[in-house]
Amino acid sequence: MFTFYVVYYISVNQDELNHLRAEMLGGNNSGLSKIFESCAEYCIRGLMKKTNITKEDAEDILIESVMNFREKLIDKRLSYITNIKAYIFKTCYNMYLARIETEKRWRRKMSDIERFYYDTDMSDKGDFDHERMNATKHAWSQLSEKCRDIISYFYIDKLSMTEIAELLNLGNADVAKTSKSRCYKKFVIEAKSYLNIQK
Amino acid sequence: MALTIEEIELIYTALRDQLTESQQKDFNSKINDSEEFKIEYETQRNIMNYLKAQQKIELKNELKKLYSSSKKTKSTTSFTSYLMAYKYGIAATIALIVCVSLFIFNSGKDNFDSLYLEYYEPYAGVPLLRGSDQDSLQIALSKYYNHNFEEALLIFKEIETPNRDLLIGNCYLNLSKLTEAKKAFENAIESKKGNTNAAKWYLALTYMKEENVQQSLLLLSELQNSEYGELAKKLLEDIK
């Protein structure tokens, strides 16, 4: 159903968005390829015309715009889209402006990981620190797959405990909450101890 | 002294950006009063920011692959479509006639949409000052320039600043709430506080977005001798 609407550039309603969201939460992002198929050429050409950026940069921004669409969809911040092409193009252009603004603010060109880090919290005054990033990576690698899923669902996708319990077959919301607390505690302890060892 | 369970829960909620108004007050006072709470929150927030950034990198890599394969699929599909069109020539001709009719029917709407997309840029006349993050206006502006219009809007509504209505209108416009956006721009023009020409420009764009060309043209003509004159003339030519 979603495929039909996206390909023909018509509106996408709540049911189709819900279907796509459920697929993504199940780890299947392939529905997004339809968005690339229908919007890529229009957005890349439009962005290059409006901003004079290179094709590579325009493609990069398009990919991040689709990421933004995915994030909003999972976070239930999208209910109805009248014109998906116009929506993605508008996001692309806003992303382009945000990227310029971030680099102006920090007065340097940034790698993706740095930019994503600053994007998550613009008021964060701490500079990007590779040691802390490694500590996070290390702590993440110490967790079981189930723990990683719980933390991602809870803190990144911001799902409710009931939804997490359903997705991971955890019985009920209370079981999910207990698991989340245990996993998150382990994650933070691992990151902190990695940083202490490095010091 | 170790943090209480309530304090730990408060940190969890803050990390999900889901504090209610009363929780936010409680959270702010704890941040100011308890060094231990503050350090714990900032450490966890820092770790989560790195985690979010890393996860975005992983997702971006996955989407890059999807994008590359969609490009291939598209070229294969085009070739297949060509063969199909050849085989079913008559059907394709009929389909073409239908498509052309639909295109003509929809072209006006698409034109206004593309013109809006081409000309619209969020109002950027209020500077964001570095190092003033605690000021409500600066927090709102930081969110606004970071295109977090929903949160920026909530703060703009609570503060008084000359271009308040103009900024509120821009937030609504970006959230596709055209009626609210028009009302905000009209307030900005009537109150004569801040940049009224900018308010007229954005009101003209709002009218164009909802295909009310007459109202849009009227405002654009009024702007011809203002700082928006060049843009207005160019847009008028494009509309014609």
Side-chain angles (χ1 to χ4, degrees), chain B residues 2-30:
Chain B
L3 297 179
T4 63
I5 293 171
E6 287 76 22
E7 286 171 330
I8 293 169
E9 286 293 331
L10 198 58
I11 289 177
Y12 290 166
T13 316
L15 289 173
R16 277 167 53 105
D17 300 321
Q18 286 178 344
L19 291 174
T20 61
E21 207 170 315
S22 65
Q23 282 175 323
Q24 185 69 56
K25 277 183 192 160
D26 190 19
F27 177 81
N28 290 346
S29 76
K30 285 193 192 305

Side-chain angles (χ1 to χ4, degrees), chain A residues 37-76:
Chain A
E37 280 169 27
S38 59
C39 305
E41 212 178 312
Y42 173 82
C43 292
I44 290 168
R45 207 178 330 121
L47 213 50
M48 286 167 71
K49 190 182 158 201
K50 195 171 176 176
T51 65
N52 288 330
I53 57 171
T54 63
K55 190 178 180 201
E56 288 70 27
D57 283 341
E59 285 180 330
D60 198 60
I61 289 173
L62 170 74
I63 291 168
E64 287 187 16
S65 301
V66 176
M67 282 169 68
N68 178 281
F69 166 80
R70 182 187 180 279
E71 192 181 315
K72 282 191 175 163
L73 183 64
I74 287 185
D75 209 9
K76 292 185 176 170

Side-chain angles (χ1 to χ4, degrees), chain A residues 120-133:
Chain A
T120 52
D121 192 349
M122 284 291 280
S123 64
D124 196 341
K125 294 182 184 70
D127 273 337
F128 185 83
D129 178 342
H130 284 276
E131 209 52 65
R132 286 177 183 207
M133 187 187 75

Side-chain angles (χ1 to χ4, degrees), chain B residues 46-63:
Chain B
N46 198 249
I47 292 170
M48 290 312 292
N49 284 350
Y50 283 107
L51 179 66
K52 284 176 189 169
Q54 279 167 20
Q55 297 234 322
K56 280 190 176 177
I57 289 286
E58 282 170 27
L59 178 64
K60 188 171 177 179
N61 288 336
E62 190 187 339
L63 293 196

Side-chain angles (χ1 to χ4, degrees), chain B residues 72-190:
Chain B
K72 283 176 200 161
T73 314
K74 202 173 179 188
S75 56
T76 319
T77 314
S78 307
F79 181 65
T80 319
S81 308
Y82 170 75
L83 290 177
M84 292 292 282
Y86 178 75
K87 196 173 173 184
Y88 301 106
I90 297 167
T93 311
I94 294 166
L96 186 68
I97 292 165
V98 173
C99 285
V100 168
S101 315
L102 278 173
F103 176 76
I104 291 166
F105 181 72
N106 285 315
S107 60
K109 190 180 190 319
D110 279 353
N111 281 344
F112 294 128
D113 247 7
S114 357
L115 279 178
Y116 169 80
L117 289 169
E118 198 175 331
Y119 281 86
Y120 178 75
E121 281 175 25
Y123 180 68
V126 187
L128 174 64
L129 306 173
R130 293 189 71 183
S132 310
D133 289 350
Q134 295 314 307
D135 182 327
S136 292
L137 174 63
Q138 294 302 321
I139 294 171
L141 285 172
S142 166
K143 290 181 186 298
Y144 174 84
Y145 286 124
N146 208 22
H147 298 90
N148 186 347
F149 295 107
E150 276 171 48
E151 287 180 24
L153 178 64
L154 292 176
I155 309 175
F156 283 139
K157 279 180 175 174
E158 300 299 320
I159 55 176
E160 269 306 321
T161 182
N163 283 307
R164 176 180 175 268
D165 287 323
L166 183 54
L167 293 162
I168 287 177
N170 268 273
C171 289
Y172 278 129
L173 200 48
N174 278 282
L175 296 169
S176 296
K177 294 185 174 172
L178 302 187
T179 312
E180 290 88 342
K182 275 194 299 186
K183 204 173 166 194
F185 294 135
E186 281 162 2
N187 285 344
I189 296 167
E190 278 167 25

